[in-house]
Amino acid sequence: APEVDAVDRRGGAGGADEIDGRHGREGPVAVEVVVGGLEEAVHLERIVLRGFRNLCDLELALPPEGAVLLGPNAQGKTNFLEALGYPVLFRALRGATDAEVAQFGGPGFRVEAAFHDGQRSPTAEVTYTAGNRRKRILLDGAPVARLSEAVGAWIAVAFLPRDVALAGGPATERR
């Protein structure tokens, strides 16, 4: 299975982590392939990240069968999943502003995603510039004038910890 290692950039509990090809305090974070994909589904083929949260810059091809992220807490797994979901609504899944998604003190971020739906390979790219607080979205290389034109270019479902707690928690929380 392909392997991605992580390291704590600041050190200590709760510090910022990055995926950078080195071993961290707890050892490597493995990415394992899960066999058996959906034939009609849109598959994320490739992701490019620059300046996204505490993750190092990366270009990663993803297997059509899917992948599983394994590793200790505070190693960037959720931030990586948030980066995968960013091109769905072009905002952070956990409610952070774009300024909060950009690396601390950085110039902004870029997320580029290439998909495959069995027929074609569309792309989505978003660049946020912190200096002027502007977001630029490209679909298949063409600029998008309004956010509403870009939302829904591909669909994903995210189950965050609060969502799982809702399903498994007391009935009063589900009402």
Side-chain angles (χ1 to χ4, degrees), residues 8-111:
D8 187 319
R9 179 180 289 150
R10 283 191 254 166
D17 304 312
E18 68 182 317
I19 297 176
D20 73 349
R22 295 178 295 191
H23 291 278
R25 293 184 315 274
E26 304 289 331
V29 175
V31 177
E32 296 183 10
V33 175
V34 177
V35 178
L38 299 174
E39 298 305 321
E40 292 90 34
V42 174
H43 298 283
L44 179 61
E45 288 185 317
R46 187 170 81 86
I47 187 86
V48 176
L49 301 177
R50 303 281 184 257
F52 194 91
R53 289 203 179 263
N54 59 0
L55 301 174
C56 74
D57 295 348
L58 65 85
E59 295 183 28
L60 182 65
L62 299 164
E65 298 85 9
V68 175
L69 300 176
L70 300 172
N73 291 338
Q75 298 299 305
K77 297 180 303 294
T78 303
N79 287 343
F80 182 71
L81 292 174
E82 187 168 40
L84 295 180
Y86 197 92
V88 175
L89 298 174
F90 297 95
R91 64 180 174 89
L93 296 175
R94 296 181 285 170
T97 65
D98 288 331
E100 294 169 326
V101 171
Q103 285 183 348
F104 183 76
F109 67 86
R110 185 171 131 231
V111 176

